[in-house]
């Protein structure tokens, strides 16, 4: 599976496309041109042998986004050389994924979040018998979803809720008991648009 999977991901990375945003489905929001975004990155880690994407369920005890589904990732620290280094560091800290298992293929354009981050999605293959070790303070669970499920546009739907006094719409892609929404679903939808 590795050769076909790598080719699928490399083809997706080679396509041009605009950056995604949490605002894509909410065109009525005027964003200030001088806004400052904090650099961050996430690792879209796909198991080379199975074609499954590694995701986390955030701890319910966290102040921000408790219990939500997310990629391993976070804010780029001063000691990180770049977005790729930040994603690899965060994956090591959050789920115990050592860089020796990871083959970085490339990055997608940064995704702007409503919380003021410019998140660079780093696409990578994970080789070998990696066994996740969730960081108890941040990660409640590590699970996997077939890449084919989250790169099929028909599996996505649009939902909405009131947020900051207005109705905000967002993508959702569910898998079994997992409700994937917000930035994670939007980044996956951007990848799905490139894969199909």
């Amino acid at each position: 599976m590795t050769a076909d999977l790598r080719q699928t991901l490399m083809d997706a990375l080679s396509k041009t496309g605009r950056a995604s945003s949490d605002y894509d489905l909410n065109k009525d929001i005027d964003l200030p041109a001088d806004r400052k975004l904090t650099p961050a990155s996430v690792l879209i880690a796909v198991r080379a042998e199975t074609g499954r994407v590694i995701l986390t369920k955030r701890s319910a005890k966290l102040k921000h986004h408790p219990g939500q589904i997310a990629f391993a990732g976070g804010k780029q620290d001063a000691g990180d050389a770049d977005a790729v280094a930040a994603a690899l560091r965060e994956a090591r800290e959050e789920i115990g994924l050592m860089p020796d298992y990871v083959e970085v293929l490339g990055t997608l354009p940064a995704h702007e979040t409503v919380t003021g981050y410019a998140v660079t999605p780093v696409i990578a293959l994970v080789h070998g018998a990696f066994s996740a070790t969730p960081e108890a303070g941040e990660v409640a669970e590590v699970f996997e979803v077939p890449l084919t499920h989250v790169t099929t546009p028909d599996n996505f739907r649009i939902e909405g809720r009131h947020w900051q006094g207005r109705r905000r719409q967002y993508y959702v892609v569910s898998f079994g008991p997992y409700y994937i929404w917000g930035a994670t679903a939007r980044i996956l939808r951007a990848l799905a648009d490139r894969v199909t």
Side-chain angles (χ1 to χ4, degrees):
M1 172 178 268
T2 304
D4 290 343
L5 179 58
R6 180 183 288 107
Q7 191 60 55
T8 296
L9 293 171
M10 293 304 291
D11 288 348
L13 285 164
S14 71
K15 292 180 182 172
T16 58
R18 65 180 183 79
S20 62
S21 162
D22 283 352
Y23 303 103
D24 287 345
L25 298 173
N26 303 279
K27 302 296 184 191
D28 60 329
I29 297 175
D30 290 323
L31 298 173
D34 62 346
R35 66 192 180 282
K36 300 267 190 272
L37 300 175
T38 303
S41 58
V42 294
L43 190 68
I44 304 178
V46 184
R47 286 202 186 259
E49 290 77 21
T50 63
R52 295 175 73 85
V53 180
I54 300 170
L55 291 170
T56 70
K57 182 174 182 181
R58 293 171 56 85
S59 169
K61 298 175 184 174
L62 290 172
K63 181 179 177 183
H64 300 291
H65 311 291
Q68 289 187 11
I69 305 304
F71 301 107
K75 185 172 71 166
Q76 189 171 330
D77 289 346
D80 295 324
D82 55 22
V84 172
L88 292 174
R89 176 185 52 76
E90 288 282 351
R92 185 180 67 248
E93 292 172 1
E94 292 180 11
I95 63 172
L97 179 56
M98 301 306 287
D100 296 352
Y101 289 100
V102 181
E103 176 190 357
V104 173
L105 301 180
T107 62
L108 294 176
H111 172 88
E112 181 176 348
T113 70
V114 294
T115 50
Y117 288 92
V119 181
T120 299
V122 178
I123 298 180
L125 291 174
V126 176
H127 298 278
F130 160 68
S131 181
T133 306
E135 200 288 312
E138 288 187 61
V139 178
E141 181 183 354
V142 179
F143 66 98
E144 300 179 13
V145 176
L147 179 67
T148 53
H149 181 78
V150 293
T151 56
T152 300
D154 286 348
N155 289 338
F156 289 78
R157 64 186 184 277
I158 296 173
E159 293 186 359
R161 65 176 61 166
H162 278 85
W163 184 71
Q164 294 185 341
R166 62 175 56 182
R167 184 159 178 81
R168 179 179 158 231
Q169 293 186 303
Y170 48 85
Y171 283 105
V172 173
V173 57
S174 296
F175 181 74
Y178 302 107
Y179 181 81
I180 306 166
W181 70 288
T184 303
R186 182 63 190 99
I187 289 169
L188 286 169
R189 178 58 195 247
L191 178 59
D193 289 342
R194 288 167 174 260
V195 167
T196 53

